[in-house]
Amino acid sequence: MHPTLPLSTSTSTSISISPSITPTPTLTLHPATPAQHATATHLNSTAWKPPLTTATYLAREQALLNQTLAANGNLTCWILTDPTNPGQILSACETYRRRALVARHGTLHDVPGYGIANLYSRPELRRQGYASRMLRALVRRLAGPGAGDARFVMGYSEIGLGFYKAFGGRGFPAVCWGIPAAAAQLTSATMGEEGEGFGDGGQVRDLLAEDVRVWMCSDVVLGRLRERLRCASLREGRSSGGGGGAGTPAGGDAAGAGAGAGAGAGAGAGTVQFAILPSWEHFAWFQAREDLTARLMEPPRPVPLVRGAGNDEVGVYCAWNHEYGDSPENGVLYILYWVCGTGDEEGFAAESAEGRRVVRAIAGILRRAQREACEAGLRSVRMWNPTSLIKKAVEVVAGEQGVPVVVGETGSIPGLWWMGLEGDVEGGREERVEWVCNEKYAWC
């Protein structure tokens, strides 16, 4: 079955290329037809189908086109072709419409942009410059001069920070923290030295799908995030924290981008505070993806019912996602997003009374996440770019259980092409940007 995608009304883009790469003087970038989109998805299935078969992977991707995040023109498949052989797809990718919250000098803006996903060239066509030329042309097409109202393009790459610099963008920290799955639920009575003074996390409850929408995506919660960004854009010499990190301006030194939450120390007034809006559509897409994967696996897995956990008293919540991997050893429960109540806005020190209260709540939720992972046959619980309070909670839980904290790169390094609020590409490249809430929910 072919994808039923609305086609873009924009015209194709011609790209001049070097004769050393191909004898054809131009290549064409244009939106794919439904049949071409189906072909592109079939091509990339060789890389991204596990743990599914080719047939079930195609069925899942087709079904996901009905999700709000992709439907009604929110997703477009793009292909690069040679006019002399238009039937051959040289490179392909997808773009999702995205909304971001941006604050600068105390003023908040809701800005449109795009996320690039599934950039793929078949193995026999690699190292000929097709994917890189497609990416350059696509960024110009989506958010270059005269392209429209988009103010950013974002994406994720396995290659490294230098990948974005080469294409006029900037890379951001991509640090993953993880702990093993565990069946036991430990309390303050079993905690060792690491947990001293943090005690039991209190009452933790499961979050179903509707709970995630109500407690993590409500206007009140998003309003707090907006105010957090606005205030951070006014603070001189302080990082906004919140799982972000400051991106290196295009042409800058990637080594100066820092690592992990709060890596943008020194950012403050004059720094653009940027966050992909953590709206319900993102979580609904992840939930639909994990449901479809569970049903289509062989043998099928139980469809997850619990989508996260929370502590109402402290106002701490997380949403998670089951990723089954290409083998049982690689199964991961990914925490997509944290809402840490006043701990998000105030930046409490973990050793303060309020900080300890938030850390206790996070630790209790982490223990529930470990149990969820264990019951689902997954090996670990992981999260991207945790804040200092979340890091402390991970250390507390790991310490009480005598297990290691695994810290490393996510494997999906976030990158951003920031065009500036006024659409001034050159001016946008010179601005320092702090990516707040740089967490898994924004992945595409």
Side-chain angles (χ1 to χ4, degrees), residues 214-276:
V214 170
W215 293 98
M216 300 186 67
C217 305
S218 68
D219 290 342
V220 172
V221 174
L222 295 179
R224 288 205 303 263
L225 175 59
R226 293 173 187 272
E227 182 63 10
R228 172 183 164 195
L229 266 65
R230 190 192 69 80
C231 292
S233 72
L234 289 171
R235 287 198 294 265
E236 187 69 46
R238 288 185 59 187
S239 168
S240 65
T248 307
D253 180 8
T271 297
V272 173
Q273 302 292 318
F274 174 93
I276 296 298

Side-chain angles (χ1 to χ4, degrees), residues 141-398:
R141 177 77 168 269
L142 296 175
D149 62 353
R151 293 295 177 259
F152 68 92
V153 178
M154 57 166 288
Y156 293 84
S157 169
E158 300 175 357
I159 299 174
L161 289 170
F163 171 81
Y164 297 108
K165 180 179 176 182
F167 293 99
R170 64 188 87 195
F172 286 78
V175 180
C176 181
W177 278 50
I179 50 176
Q185 294 301 292
L186 296 138
T187 67
S188 56
T190 59
M191 293 171 71
E193 184 178 346
E194 273 299 325
E196 185 178 353
F198 287 92
D200 191 354
Q203 185 63 41
V204 174
R205 69 178 179 92
D206 293 345
L207 300 184
L208 307 183
E210 179 65 10
D211 296 318
V212 172
R213 187 186 68 79
V214 170
W215 293 98
M216 300 186 67
C217 305
S218 68
D219 290 342
V220 172
V221 174
L222 295 179
R224 288 205 303 263
L225 175 59
R226 293 173 187 272
E227 182 63 10
R228 172 183 164 195
L229 266 65
R230 190 192 69 80
C231 292
S233 72
L234 289 171
R235 287 198 294 265
E236 187 69 46
R238 288 185 59 187
S239 168
S240 65
T248 307
D253 180 8
T271 297
V272 173
Q273 302 292 318
F274 174 93
I276 296 298
L277 183 69
S279 57
W280 166 241
E281 289 78 12
H282 292 271
F283 303 102
W285 183 89
F286 271 103
Q287 291 175 10
R289 186 174 183 266
E290 70 177 347
D291 289 359
L292 289 162
T293 302
R295 290 191 180 100
L296 294 170
M297 288 177 68
E298 188 58 47
R301 298 285 190 95
V303 174
L305 176 65
V306 179
R307 309 296 186 165
N311 182 313
D312 293 329
E313 181 182 355
V314 187
V316 175
Y317 305 92
C318 84
W320 59 51
N321 185 253
H322 302 70
E323 292 200 6
Y324 298 101
D326 54 2
S327 66
E329 293 73 22
N330 294 328
V332 176
L333 185 78
Y334 268 110
I335 293 182
L336 301 176
Y337 183 56
W338 286 95
V339 171
C340 293
T342 55
D344 280 334
E345 293 86 5
E346 302 299 335
F348 298 116
E351 294 75 18
S352 69
E354 187 61 28
R356 288 174 181 272
R357 183 169 178 260
V358 174
V359 169
R360 284 196 297 269
I362 297 170
I365 291 169
L366 284 172
R367 297 184 198 104
R368 177 62 185 92
Q370 287 181 294
R371 181 160 62 90
E372 178 71 17
C374 187
E375 293 173 352
L378 308 176
R379 292 303 177 93
S380 64
V381 176
R382 299 180 189 174
M383 63 216 76
W384 287 5
N385 299 313
T387 67
S388 59
L389 294 182
I390 296 170
K391 289 178 183 178
K392 182 62 180 179
V394 173
E395 291 168 349
V396 166
V397 173

